[in-house]
Amino acid sequence: MLYVIILWFLIISLIIFLIKQLHIKKNIIICIFISILIILFILNINICIPAAIDGCKLWYKSILPATFPFIVICNLLIFYDGISLYSKFLGPLICKPLGLSKNCSFPIVASILCGYPLGAKYCVDLYSMEYIEKDEYERLLNIASNAGPIFLIGSVAGTLLGNVSLGYSLLIGNYLAIILIGFITKKKRNPIKLRSLSCPKYEMISFGSAIKDAIQNGINTTLSIGGFIIIFSVVISLIKSNAYIYIIFDQLERFLNLTSGTLYCLFLGSIEMTNGCSIVSTLSLSLPAKLSIISFLCSFSGLAVIAQVSSFVSDTKINYGKYIFFKIIQGIFSFIITYVLLQILPTSVYTSKFRINSITSVYVYFYPILILTLLTFLLIIFNKAVNEYKKITTR
């Protein structure tokens, strides 16, 4: 089987080489790829239709109730100049330690509360409304990009792992990774002035017009997210139904002496993180290794979320390669932080099961905000100490 894998690798490499040598246009390659997908869809119609229905159910039961009202409320805040209002007290707390202007606080908070891909949506809104400059906008896309607490605590820890307390380890790993990405991009880019751009002049509009535009935008955004979920549900079902793909990864895992299913779940998770997390939760790995892989997948987000983000930012012409590169780095940071955290903490801390009743279940999701606030205060203290040290050394 190893020889078959090597042969396929050589065939793919040869195809790529021929494409470059023959100067085949990108649109022709995309058309060929789409044609192959159409053929696969027709040949596997009995698999694709149930997968599309499952995607619709996932969108209807999980995404629509949580995302649509949040988008409408946030849109109303934007229409009534809520960005300027909240940035006055959230900006210094969240953005200053990361070297961002205070107007950037709105997408970061939206991303923390609701997760992918709303952070990217509001980054685009801020940039299009001229609240931030392009270089800061590109940085903000990677910082305001994380899985939400409801997904990490409820869906992953509660449903897949059966232990809500594990979700807090995932939250810490994901949020610390975002902060590290903020510092890395801050060091690699020119210093950004912490003062905000002059905010656009606010023009009062009627509530009727505001609610109409907010709902219309919410419908368009939610339907767009649903479309991506359905398409990638079909793609994932085609991959799962292909025995050859599973055999190839199984042989690679044996060759590398890895636990069966590790590479396969990473492959599926890199396409769609929910499926990857679901498969990882069933692997016979140690709990720290299992949680670390899940943390990586949630921070990287997968091609499905990256495609959703690209649909929002397509008109702004950003460097997608740089965005994906920092998402991979973010995933690696999250993996390392989660693994180290679980090695440091006593086993009884993260294996104890919390019983959450219906009264307190709502408040559980506000814990991430408290964690982020604490981390922000620590970062402010650290920044002040560094600045004082620089002043002393320059004298």
Side-chain angles (χ1 to χ4, degrees), residues 57-254:
K57 289 179 180 178
L58 174 64
W59 173 78
Y60 176 73
K61 293 181 178 179
S62 301
I63 306 301
L64 182 62
T67 305
F68 178 72
F70 187 82
I71 293 174
V72 173
I73 293 170
C74 287
N75 287 339
L76 287 173
L77 281 174
I78 292 174
F79 290 145
Y80 286 101
D81 203 28
I83 294 174
S84 300
L85 176 65
Y86 286 103
S87 63
K88 290 179 181 178
F89 61 90
L90 288 177
L93 181 67
I94 297 175
C95 300
K96 189 175 180 180
L98 299 175
L100 295 168
S101 63
K102 62 182 181 180
N103 286 334
C104 297
S105 59
F106 189 84
I108 294 175
V109 172
S111 181
I112 291 169
L113 291 178
C114 209
Y116 301 118
L118 294 188
K121 177 191 182 304
Y122 292 116
C123 287
V124 176
D125 289 345
L126 256 67
Y127 176 63
S128 61
M129 296 170 69
E130 299 182 350
Y131 278 97
I132 55 177
E133 296 177 341
K134 186 166 185 178
D135 55 352
E136 190 173 35
Y137 159 64
E138 291 183 349
R139 279 193 63 210
L140 187 60
L141 277 175
N142 279 106
I143 296 172
S145 179
N146 60 276
I150 294 177
F151 176 77
L152 292 174
I153 297 175
S155 301
V156 177
T159 305
L160 297 180
L161 298 173
N163 189 348
V164 173
S165 62
L166 297 174
Y168 301 104
S169 300
L170 294 174
L171 278 176
I172 293 172
N174 276 253
Y175 289 165
L176 279 178
I178 294 168
I179 293 171
L180 289 175
I181 288 294
F183 278 113
I184 287 176
T185 53
K186 179 182 178 181
K187 291 177 182 177
K188 289 188 175 182
R189 300 182 63 86
N190 294 327
I192 295 176
K193 296 179 181 179
L194 294 181
R195 66 177 182 84
S196 300
L197 295 174
S198 56
C199 296
K201 186 178 179 181
Y202 170 64
E203 296 180 1
M204 186 66 182
I205 59 174
S206 65
F207 182 76
S209 299
I211 192 70
K212 174 189 172 184
D213 293 341
I215 290 174
Q216 187 63 49
N217 182 271
I219 291 171
N220 292 338
T221 304
T222 311
L223 285 176
S224 175
I225 294 171
F228 280 105
I229 290 172
I230 294 168
I231 290 296
F232 277 92
S233 295
V234 172
V235 172
I236 286 290
S237 69
L238 288 173
I239 294 172
K240 284 183 176 180
S241 64
N242 193 312
Y244 294 105
I245 295 176
Y246 179 81
I247 291 171
I248 289 172
F249 279 101
D250 184 60
Q251 292 298 320
L252 280 174
E253 289 159 355
R254 291 183 183 181

